[in-house]
Amino acid sequence: MRTGRVAAALVVSALAGFGVRALARQWVSVTVRGPSMEPAYRHGDRLLARRRPGTLRAGDVVVFEGPVRDGGWELPVAQAGDTARGWLVKRVVAVGGDPVPTHFAGAAPAGEVVPPGQVFVLGDNREVSVDSRRIGCVPVERVLGRAVHIGRRSTKAVASG
């Protein structure tokens, strides 16, 4: 009888471990760094982002990999668990096929159509944000996830806001 309880406990522990790994593959926690998403998100706010965000729409807040140099992405697309990247948090204002809004032009000219498979992103605090006006459109493959939840402030910063 005791052996049955031990076996059951081991099975439950194993299933819990698999469940945690499955959740980690679908969700990631990031911390906003900087003031570019104020007032919606402030420095130190925690976001929960859903990996593989599906279809992105204007208004979605996304976590994405910042470009390495001159608006380019030199590294391979990040994989689950890669924490050595420079993650940014911004709001999508246009998706592939949409025109770049006239009043948000910059690196992508006003009226130019956002290429398929890319998004045009901006920080909510536009005066201090480094976003698509400076780095251009962001390939959707570089989007880590869509932010779906805000949590408590943390002192550990891992994503620029």
Side-chain angles (χ1 to χ4, degrees):
M1 184 141 177
R2 185 173 188 165
T3 305
R5 287 184 183 168
V6 171
L10 289 173
V11 169
V12 168
S13 293
L15 290 174
F18 289 126
V20 168
R21 281 190 218 109
L23 284 173
R25 281 187 294 247
Q26 290 190 16
W27 298 92
V28 63
S29 174
V30 297
T31 304
V32 175
R33 186 181 63 200
S36 76
M37 285 302 292
E38 290 178 355
Y41 305 111
R42 295 178 298 204
H43 179 79
D45 282 350
R46 299 290 300 226
L47 300 178
L48 187 60
R50 182 178 177 96
R51 295 181 192 265
R52 292 181 230 92
T55 303
L56 296 174
R57 293 181 217 118
D60 288 341
V61 174
V62 293
V63 177
F64 67 96
E65 176 186 355
V68 176
R69 179 190 70 175
D70 299 329
W73 284 266
E74 295 177 344
L75 300 171
V77 174
Q79 300 299 313
D82 189 345
T83 58
R85 302 291 173 107
W87 301 111
L88 302 173
V89 177
K90 305 293 178 202
R91 189 173 307 278
V92 174
V93 295
V95 298
D98 291 345
V100 172
T102 304
H103 50 290
F104 295 138
E112 180 178 295
V113 173
V114 175
Q118 297 192 23
V119 291
F120 191 88
V121 297
L122 294 174
D124 289 353
N125 186 357
R126 303 221 169 44
E127 292 179 13
V128 300
S129 181
V130 174
D131 49 37
S132 286
R133 295 170 298 171
R134 185 163 164 196
I135 64 174
C137 295
V138 175
V140 171
E141 68 184 9
R142 298 296 176 159
V143 174
L144 176 66
R146 178 186 301 131
V148 294
H149 180 74
I150 185 170
R152 290 182 289 186
R153 288 180 173 221
S154 168
T155 57
K156 183 179 177 186
V158 296
S160 292

